[in-house]
Structures are given as structure tokens and as C-alpha cells.
């Protein structure tokens, strides 16, 4: 985030992110609360994940909102998609205090529209304008608003997911599932959903620890060693892991293989798509989606990276299916946002209907491989762009989001992160070793 009036953008690709008491001071959070309360000018939902700094930020944001005369509904610690579902069902805007997959020293402020979607950029700009101009609504003492508490969001959310899948068939399978909630916001919702679906559940890190002491919040293979070992040795049908706010889910098959989020997205599309439909996904997702959609008579629309961008494009294009390659499935029939619990329900639904295990289902997909790396954003990104253009001069170039260079099914994507001070590198190929070599070459080029 930048609080410099000369660079008035506060919201990144997924809310305002920063370090509490450095970027997200109580004073700043209260002022943002005043801007949010002024913009929405009505009842506002507030929820959070379980980071240690959550109470400080919630209280500051809430104080600012109440000072404008806008009431707040406090619904507690829940996954981000649960807050969004509550907003959608009650037609209320909301604020989620979370930094999603970022390390525990970060936190964030994310705004939600009354349809449950993350606030579109034009509305974020209006909040930023109110913040910088300080044109806040200021209530007289007798019109200052109050907070109310509602604990119904948990059941509303879990039941909402169950309404979208074939519960009877899933219960008949009697799945055995290992779940790692990573000390995050899904520590109750995902185990409860699995229990209601008749599964035998073994949990890892299902305690709300705001320091994420068990593992880093990002659900990537390096952070899921214990879950992978448990699934491999424990006779489970599959394992599932979430990030801090559980808008994403990644899976481990019964043999202990980590399944890339891109593959679960492709599996979802393969079994849920209908002829003539559109699928929306960012430039970072693999070519497997095009292969599947072509076979099913559907089309793929590419966007910049960012769940809000994907969701908004889905709404504009009347697309039911979409998502990102990081484990973020978006099922429009449920709600237009990434939803880790809905992803779990979808995978169980497919497994139950097809009477197949997860590895068998994944093996039927077009096989492409994405290698991901990050490097510190210490230098000017534009210089990296120029070096990539020179090094891969014969490749097709797209500047939709960062730079993407393509040669057949081989491609390279480099883009600055919208949530952390890093550059994200993606390399893609139909051959794993080729993808890894491209990644190595590009990383060396970037570090040079």
C-alpha cells in the first residue's frame, strides 16, 4: 500500500495489505474506517481471520465506521468466503480483516460489495478519494451508530455449500479425509462441513493460532510435509489444505501426491462446464483449460491476475465457472468469489458421481506443468521486462499483466505481486523438466 497522496492507491489486487503498527497503524485504520463508512453510508458487516493483530485493526476500523453513523454487524472469525456469503445473503456490504496467505506479520483490510463480491476498483478509488480529501460523514453525538453481533454466519455458510452438491452420493462414499487448516480461519468450518458430509476426519493444525506456528500460511508443497506424509501413510481418500483465510484449497491424492491448484481448477471445469459456456481465468493459469474447453465446446477468457478481476469478468460475461491456478475456484452458481469450502465440496461431488479416486481423475486431464518462483522486488521491474524481451525475442509477447512470452505451449510470465514486495515468476510447458529449466533460466536472468 502507499499512503503518499502523490500515489493515491491504497488498495492492491486484494485489499489493503501491510504490517500492523507500521503500515496499518490504529490511526490509519480508523481513518480508512471513516472513509468506508462514508462511502457505504449504511449497515456494514465486519469479520476477520484469526491473526494476532485482528482485534486492534477491527476495533479501529469499526470505530471509524461508527463515527459516520453507519451501523456494523460483527460476525466474528470466519473464512473470507463465509463473510462474503453472509454479505450476499443479507444484501449488505462488508469489511474483512485478513492478509489471506501472507505471513503472520501482515494483515489487511478488504472491502466486500453487497452482492458478496470483492469491491471493484472504481469503488475502491472512491474510498481512497474520501480518505485523502477527508470528506467524511461526521455524526452528531446522538446519531453515532452502534455495533451488533450475529453468530449465524457459520451455519449459513456451511449449509450454503451443502446446498450446491449431491450430499446423498457423497455420504454414501464415506470418505476418509485429512485436513490441514494451517491454524487459520477454517479451523472449524471445514472439519464441520466434512463431518456433515459423512466423512471420517483427521485434522492437522485445526486450532486458531494467529502466529501460524505450525506452518506458513501459503498452502504449497514445502509447507505441507506433515499433511502429505499423513495422507500417504494413513489410508486416506485425499487430503486438503487451506491458506489463512480459506478462500483457497489445495489437495493431496491418496498416494500423497500434491495436486497443483491449476489441475483442480481444470478438473472442476471439465465436469461442470456446459457446451457454449465461458470460463474466466487469469493469464497465469495453464493451457489445460483451453484443451478441456475446446473439447467441451466452451471458450476461455483470460484476465489479469486477481480474484476480484476474475469475478467481475465472470459477472460481465455471464460465466458460471472460473478461478485461479493457486487453488482458488470460483463457482458462480454459489457465489462470485474464491471459496475453499466450495472447492472441497466440488471435488467430493465429482469423486462421488464418477466413482473414481482423485489421482485417476487428475490423470485424465491434459498434462501441463507450471513452475512458480518469487524473487525480491529490489530492482526496477521494467528492466527485467526489457531483458526478457531481448532474451526471448522470437517469442510472442503479451503485456496484459506484467510480461508473458509464449512459444507454443512453452510460456513465461513475470509480474509484480499486488500483495507483497516481490516479483512472481511462472514458467509453463507440457514437459516438467522443460518448465523447471525455463524457471531456472528466468530466475538467473532476473537476479543478474
Amino acid at each position: 500500500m502507499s499512503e503518499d497522496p502523490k500515489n493515491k492507491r491504497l488498495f492492491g489486487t486484494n485489499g489493503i495489505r501491510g504490517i500492523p503498527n507500521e503500515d496499518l497503524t490504529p490511526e490509519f485504520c480508523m481513518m480508512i474506517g471513516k472513509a468506508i463508512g462514508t462511502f457505504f453510508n449504511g449497515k456494514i458487516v465486519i469479520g476477520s481471520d484469526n491473526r494476532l493483530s485482528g482485534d486492534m485493526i477491527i476495533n479501529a476500523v469499526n470505530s471509524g465506521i461508527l463515527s459516520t453513523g453507519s451501523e456494523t454487524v460483527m460476525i466474528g472469525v470466519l473464512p473470507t468466503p463465509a463473510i462474503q456469503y453472509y454479505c450476499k445473503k443479507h444484501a449488505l456490504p462488508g469489511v474483512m480483516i485478513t492478509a489471506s496467505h501472507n505471513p503472520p506479520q501482515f494483515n489487511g483490510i478488504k472491502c466486500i460489495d453487497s452482492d458478496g463480491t470483492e469491491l471493484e476498483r472504481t469503488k475502491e478509488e472512491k474510498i481512497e478519494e474520501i480518505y485523502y480529501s477527508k470528506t467524511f460523514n461526521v455524526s452528531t453525538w446522538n446519531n453515532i451508530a452502534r455495533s451488533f453481533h450475529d453468530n449465524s454466519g457459520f451455519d449459513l455458510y456451511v449449509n450454503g455449500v451443502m446446498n450446491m452438491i449431491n450430499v446423498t452420493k457423497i455420504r454414501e462414499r464415506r470418505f476418509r479425509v485429512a485436513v490441514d487448516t494451517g491454524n487459520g480461519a477454517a479451523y472449524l468450518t471445514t472439519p464441520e462441513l466434512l463431518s456433515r458430509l459423512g466423512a471420517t476426519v483427521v485434522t492437522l493444525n485445526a486450532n486458531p493460532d494467529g502466529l501460524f506456528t505450525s506452518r506458513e500460511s501459503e498452502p504449497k508443497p514445502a509447507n505441507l510435509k506433515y499433511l502429505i506424509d499423513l495422507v500417504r501413510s494413513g489410508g486416506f481418500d485425499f487430503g486438503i489444505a487451506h491458506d489463512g483465510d480459506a478462500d483457497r484449497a489445495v489437495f493431496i491424492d491418496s498416494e500423497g501426491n500434491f495436486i497443483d491448484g491449476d489441475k483442480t481448477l481444470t478438473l472442476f471445469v471439465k465436469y461442470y462446464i456446459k457446451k457454449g459456456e465461458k470460463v474466466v481465468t487469469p493469464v497465469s493459469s495453464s493451457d489445460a483449460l483451453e484443451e478441456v474447453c475446446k473439447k467441451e465446446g466452451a471458450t476461455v477468457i483470460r484476465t489479469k491476475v486477481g480474484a476480484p478481476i476474475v469475478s467481475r469478468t465472470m459477472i460481465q460475461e455471464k460465466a458460471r465457472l472460473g478461478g485461479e491456478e493457486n487453488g482458488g475456484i470460483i463457482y458462480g452458481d454459489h457465489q462470485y468469489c474464491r471459496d475453499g469450502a466450495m472447492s472441497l465440496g466440488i471435488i467430493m461431488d465429482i469423486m462421488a458421481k464418477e466413482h473414481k479416486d482423485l489421482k485417476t481423475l487428475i490423470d485424465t486431464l491434459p498434462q501441463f506443468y507450471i513452475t512458480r518462483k518469487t524473487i525480491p522486488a529490489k530492482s526496477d521491474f521494467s528492466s527485467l521486462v526489457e531483458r526478457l524481451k531481448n532474451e526471448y525475442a522470437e517469442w510472442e509477447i503479451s503485456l496484459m499483466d506484467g510480461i508473458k512470452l509464449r512459444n507454443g505451449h512453452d510460456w513465461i510470465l513475470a509480474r509484480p505481486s499486488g500483495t507483497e514486495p516481490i516479483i512472481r515468476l511462472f514458467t509453463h510447458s507440457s514437459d516438467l523438466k522443460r518448465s523447471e529449466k525455463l524457471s531456472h533460466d528466468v530466475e538467473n536472468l532476473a537476479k543478474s
Side-chain angles (χ1 to χ4, degrees):
M1 60 174 258
S2 171
E3 205 177 338
D4 182 355
K6 295 178 182 177
N7 181 14
K8 294 191 175 185
R9 179 154 192 169
L10 298 174
F11 291 86
T13 55
N14 222 315
I16 301 171
R17 300 275 177 95
I19 298 175
N21 276 345
E22 293 183 20
D23 308 301
L24 303 180
T25 64
E27 296 81 5
F28 170 77
C29 294
M30 184 187 68
M31 296 284 278
I32 283 293
K34 292 174 74 171
I36 291 169
T38 300
F39 175 75
F40 286 126
N41 193 30
K43 189 179 291 186
I44 300 170
V45 177
I46 300 182
S48 73
D49 66 17
N50 50 287
R51 291 167 189 264
L52 289 183
S53 57
D55 286 349
M56 181 192 83
I57 296 174
I58 288 169
N59 288 326
V61 171
N62 188 44
S63 178
I65 291 173
L66 297 178
S67 75
T68 68
S70 292
E71 292 180 348
T72 56
V73 183
M74 314 295 283
I75 64 173
V77 174
L78 286 170
T80 292
I83 309 294
Q84 292 178 273
Y85 194 70
Y86 185 100
C87 289
K88 174 186 174 182
K89 287 298 183 180
H90 291 84
L92 292 173
V95 179
M96 177 65 180
I97 307 303
T98 181
S100 190
H101 65 277
N102 287 161
Q105 65 267 32
F106 287 85
N107 213 326
I109 302 168
K110 179 188 294 188
C111 291
I112 301 165
D113 220 332
S114 57
D115 61 358
T117 61
E118 290 158 285
L119 206 64
E120 60 184 302
R121 179 61 193 146
T122 55
K123 293 182 179 180
E124 290 177 342
E125 288 172 346
K126 291 179 181 177
I127 293 173
E128 291 167 347
E129 183 180 337
I130 294 168
Y131 171 84
Y132 283 113
S133 65
K134 295 182 170 52
T135 52
F136 309 119
N137 293 341
V138 179
S139 291
T140 57
W141 70 269
N142 56 325
N143 287 313
I144 292 172
R146 299 179 65 186
S147 289
F148 301 90
H149 294 264
D150 186 354
N151 62 2
S152 67
F154 183 100
D155 279 327
L156 180 71
Y157 176 56
V158 172
N159 290 333
V161 171
M162 293 178 68
N163 288 337
M164 302 305 300
I165 54 182
N166 192 324
V167 173
T168 301
K169 276 191 174 293
I170 291 172
R171 285 175 175 164
E172 288 173 354
R173 279 291 301 267
R174 298 185 178 275
F175 286 105
R176 180 173 166 82
V177 184
V179 55
D180 180 354
T181 60
N183 303 133
Y187 72 100
L188 284 178
T189 49
T190 293
E192 178 63 19
L193 172 63
L194 285 165
S195 294
R196 293 186 190 184
L197 292 173
T200 299
V201 186
V202 175
T203 61
L204 284 175
N205 311 316
N207 57 307
D209 177 0
L211 288 174
F212 302 140
T213 51
S214 63
R215 66 165 172 86
E216 293 181 24
S217 180
E218 180 86 10
K220 56 186 180 182
N223 298 333
L224 300 178
K225 181 181 182 300
Y226 292 113
L227 177 64
I228 291 169
D229 288 346
L230 177 62
V231 174
R232 181 178 290 130
S233 62
F236 292 92
D237 290 291
F238 64 89
I240 177 176
H242 293 297
D243 60 338
D245 68 336
D247 61 350
R248 292 159 51 191
V250 299
F251 295 85
I252 312 298
D253 71 23
S254 58
E255 296 182 6
N257 300 304
F258 177 88
I259 298 172
D260 193 282
D262 192 77
K263 295 185 184 300
T264 51
L265 172 61
T266 305
L267 184 68
F268 160 55
V269 170
K270 177 180 177 179
Y271 284 98
Y272 275 65
I273 195 69
K274 297 176 182 176
K275 185 175 182 179
E277 286 192 311
K278 300 172 184 176
V279 175
V280 181
T281 197
V283 293
S284 54
S285 297
S286 85
D287 294 357
L289 279 174
E290 272 89 359
E291 299 286 318
V292 165
C293 286
K294 182 179 179 181
K295 185 175 180 180
E296 301 298 329
T299 57
V300 176
I301 297 173
R302 296 281 181 170
T303 70
K304 292 183 178 181
V305 172
I309 299 171
V310 176
S311 297
R312 288 289 161 193
T313 304
M314 288 175 67
I315 293 170
Q316 292 164 9
E317 297 289 340
K318 296 181 172 56
R320 296 184 310 120
L321 315 182
E324 299 181 298
E325 44 68 41
N326 56 13
I329 286 175
I330 303 174
Y331 184 27
D333 287 354
H334 175 54
Q335 59 176 343
Y336 282 100
C337 66
R338 297 185 304 193
D339 190 333
M342 190 69 252
S343 300
L344 171 60
I346 286 166
I347 295 301
M348 295 177 78
D349 192 53
I350 294 170
M351 292 175 70
K353 288 177 180 176
E354 297 300 314
H355 300 284
K356 295 177 181 176
D357 63 35
L358 189 52
K359 185 177 187 303
T360 300
L361 290 166
I362 294 296
D363 286 346
T364 65
L365 302 176
Q367 296 302 305
F368 293 98
Y369 303 91
I370 298 177
T371 304
R372 301 170 183 82
K373 288 184 180 177
T374 61
I375 59 171
K378 293 180 180 178
S379 61
D380 183 8
F381 180 70
S382 62
S383 65
L384 173 59
V385 169
E386 291 307 312
R387 277 179 282 169
L388 285 168
K389 285 181 178 179
N390 291 334
E391 186 71 19
Y392 299 93
E394 304 302 317
W395 291 30
E396 297 175 18
I397 295 176
S398 169
L399 301 177
M400 175 187 286
D401 190 356
I403 180 170
K404 186 173 184 178
L405 305 107
R406 175 184 287 277
N407 181 19
H409 284 307
D410 290 352
W411 55 254
I412 298 163
L413 172 66
R415 56 177 299 277
S417 171
T419 59
E420 299 175 73
I422 56 176
I423 294 172
R424 298 191 184 276
L425 303 177
F426 303 76
T427 54
H428 173 280
S429 180
S430 57
D431 178 80
L432 177 59
K433 290 184 178 180
R434 171 64 174 161
S435 175
E436 291 173 342
K437 183 181 185 305
L438 282 171
S439 181
H440 178 75
D441 292 345
V442 175
E443 183 180 26
N444 286 341
L445 189 69
K447 289 181 177 179
S448 69

